[in-house]
Amino acid sequence: MGYKLSFGEADRIFDSLQKEYEIWAPKRFVGKGRYSDTDMIRYDKIHRADEIEFNEKSDFPAKEVLTPITETLFYFTEDEYRESKATKKKLLIFMRPCDVHAKYHQEKIYLENGDFADSYYQRMSEKVKIVLMECGEGWDTCFCVSMGTNRTDDYAAAVRAEDEAMFLEIKDEELAPYFQKCASARFTPSFVEENPLQVTVPEIPNKEVLTELKRHPMWDEFDKRCVSCGACTLACSTCTCFTTSDIVYQENSNAGERKRTSASCQIEGFTDMAGGIVFRNTAGERMRYKVLHKFHDYKARFRDFHMCVGCGRCISRCPELISIAATVDKMAAAVDEITASQKAEGGK
Ligand code: SF4
Ligand code: SF4
């Protein structure tokens, strides 16, 4: 069913919904951007329709609702522990199509990668209902069409905001009663069909080409350009790496809490192991790892899609203006070069 409601009507419905749901959406934090006089847009609990930022892409992805940058896993004393509590309410999350696809990748990593599911992710994921936010024309760093993530039908409701009103499609039976008194209106979301930014992800034909690609000089440029800050992975819709640490309370050093905090493969020390072993010493090696993970290794492991959803958030966040889209294009050229050289070698 489709509806049109004013922001005032939406606020009244949000009031009712909040007895059962936490409502999360991208919200503008004025003056909190990383440059002076700039804003930051990130996910937060909202209570009113005018708190939702409909017109710009968020700087940080929807994944932060389910996996915050830092969270407590459990509390411990000398001889016992207690798991942290998750919210009792269901979660209504406003998401763009790329975030919906990113959730699919997160589920693969947290719930289906190995013999056990991550219970902390699972307890949140089970509560989610998605409100799909229409993107209009998209933004200058998006390349969702190239990655096939511009469309989805996996949502409980879809929304377009126009002139202080919302057009909604409600698919979910549990949500429908909240809207039954609203004016009917025809609405189904439209999707971005073309981005200004396009990316050609190369097919890496065999292991020999992959090995040569790892040795290719294209990665060396990042030794100079990338400052290994990790901003790209923190903003990434699909990165899942985290580290754990114990916070010990001052009053009783046998009591404390274990936290997990997002980690970045782009930061020096990420691969440090006991015995002084380090797998990726340079920024170029770390960039190579990230790019191949997003555009080759994940798909080789799960045999469905590339991990990157083309949200472009890493491009927007990088202080050194490093574009993953341009890097993938360079990788495509390098794969062509290596393949041609192997063919020439084979023909000799
Ligand atoms: S690698 Fe960049 S474009 Fe791809 S999902 Fe992550 S943040 Fe988005
Ligand atoms: S690519 Fe950019 S954002 Fe990512 S670690 Fe390097 S400098 Fe930082």
Side-chain angles (χ1 to χ4, degrees):
M1 279 292 286
Y3 303 97
K4 181 180 180 186
L5 50 160
S6 68
F7 274 17
E9 283 175 283
D11 289 350
R12 284 191 286 282
I13 291 171
F14 284 1
D15 277 348
S16 313
L17 279 166
Q18 277 167 54
K19 295 182 183 96
E20 213 182 333
Y21 295 89
E22 287 180 5
I23 307 175
W24 290 78
K27 184 169 159 182
R28 181 177 292 273
F29 290 79
V30 176
K32 299 288 184 193
R34 61 186 165 161
Y35 304 115
S36 59
D37 287 335
T38 59
D39 303 340
M40 177 173 62
I41 303 167
R42 50 170 279 261
Y43 275 76
D44 199 13
K45 263 189 247 182
I46 60 101
H47 302 89
R48 294 189 324 274
D50 67 1
E51 288 180 281
I52 304 171
E53 178 51 66
F54 284 103
N55 299 323
E56 281 183 46
K57 180 168 70 178
S58 61
D59 297 305
F60 292 96
K63 76 173 186 190
E64 282 192 5
V65 181
L66 304 189
T67 51
I69 289 172
T70 184
E71 68 177 321
T72 299
L73 302 180
F74 56 83
Y75 302 88
F76 58 84
T77 59
E78 293 87 342
D79 50 8
E80 59 184 16
Y81 75 93
R82 180 176 68 71
E83 198 174 303
S84 61
K85 290 191 174 123
T87 173
K88 289 199 172 73
K89 290 186 179 176
K90 292 183 239 178
L91 304 166
L92 202 59
I93 311 179
F94 284 65
M95 293 187 189
R96 305 279 178 194
C98 58
D99 282 312
V100 177
H101 284 271
K103 184 171 181 297
Y104 173 78
H105 296 307
Q106 300 263 315
E107 281 167 11
K108 273 259 188 311
I109 298 285
Y110 283 113
L111 305 179
E112 298 167 28
N113 186 20
D115 294 337
F116 66 93
D118 183 303
S119 59
Y120 300 99
Y121 184 85
Q122 193 162 31
R123 68 187 187 178
M124 296 294 277
S125 173
E126 287 168 352
K127 295 171 188 286
V128 174
K129 284 192 198 296
I130 295 167
V131 182
L132 182 76
M133 299 175 80
E134 200 184 64
C135 286
E137 294 179 349
W139 292 272
D140 60 352
T141 57
C142 301
F143 53 100
C144 52
V145 177
S146 299
M147 302 312 297
T149 57
N150 52 317
R151 295 179 155 270
T152 180
D153 58 6
D154 179 13
Y155 55 85
V159 63
R160 173 193 299 159
E162 231 172 62
D163 301 330
E164 305 260 306
M166 278 186 191
F167 289 87
L168 280 155
E169 180 194 2
I170 305 293
K171 292 208 298 189
D172 185 274
E173 285 177 8
E174 287 178 9
L175 293 179
Y178 290 95
F179 297 88
Q180 61 192 5
K181 289 187 183 153
C182 299
S184 300
R186 283 191 177 194
F187 172 68
T188 49
S190 58
F191 297 99
V192 172
E193 298 296 350
E194 200 176 353
N195 304 123
L197 193 57
Q198 282 141 29
V199 173
T200 308
V201 183
E203 280 297 325
I204 298 173
N206 54 50
K207 218 170 173 181
E208 289 71 37
V209 173
L210 179 61
T211 305
E212 280 307 307
L213 179 62
K214 288 180 181 172
R215 294 190 193 123
H216 196 276
M218 70 163 279
W219 307 110
D220 297 343
E221 111 180 48
F222 300 105
D223 290 344
K224 289 195 186 120
R225 289 186 68 199
C226 172
V227 294
S228 302
C229 63
C232 49
T233 57
L234 212 59
C236 177
S237 307
T238 57
C239 281
T240 51
C241 287
F242 62 82
T243 185
T244 54
S245 53
D246 287 351
I247 309 293
V248 177
Y249 299 151
Q250 274 184 351
E251 297 80 5
N252 175 0
S253 59
N254 289 321
E257 58 195 81
R258 179 157 302 172
K259 293 176 100 71
R260 74 169 162 199
T261 303
S262 300
S264 173
C265 60
Q266 298 306 284
I267 289 180
E268 213 181 331
F270 179 78
T271 60
D272 286 4
M273 286 179 66
I277 298 163
V278 181
F279 291 103
R280 293 183 284 277
N281 273 305
T282 64
E285 287 171 348
R286 293 189 285 274
M287 179 66 72
R288 180 191 68 198
Y289 170 79
K290 180 183 76 177
V291 174
L292 281 172
H293 182 56
K294 300 282 181 197
F295 296 90
H296 177 266
D297 302 348
Y298 175 91
K299 187 174 177 185
R301 163 85 175 81
F302 291 109
R303 304 199 173 281
D304 51 10
F305 308 107
H306 286 300
M307 191 181 195
C308 173
V309 294
C311 69
R313 290 185 172 107
C314 57
I315 303 173
S316 308
R317 293 304 290 171
C318 179
E320 299 299 320
L321 308 180
I322 293 169
S323 158
I324 199 151
T327 307
V328 172
D329 281 344
K330 283 181 192 168
M331 189 166 87
V335 169
D336 286 348
E337 178 198 310
I338 295 162
T339 310
S341 134
Q342 285 192 347
K343 273 190 190 146
E345 289 282 311
K348 273 184 194 168

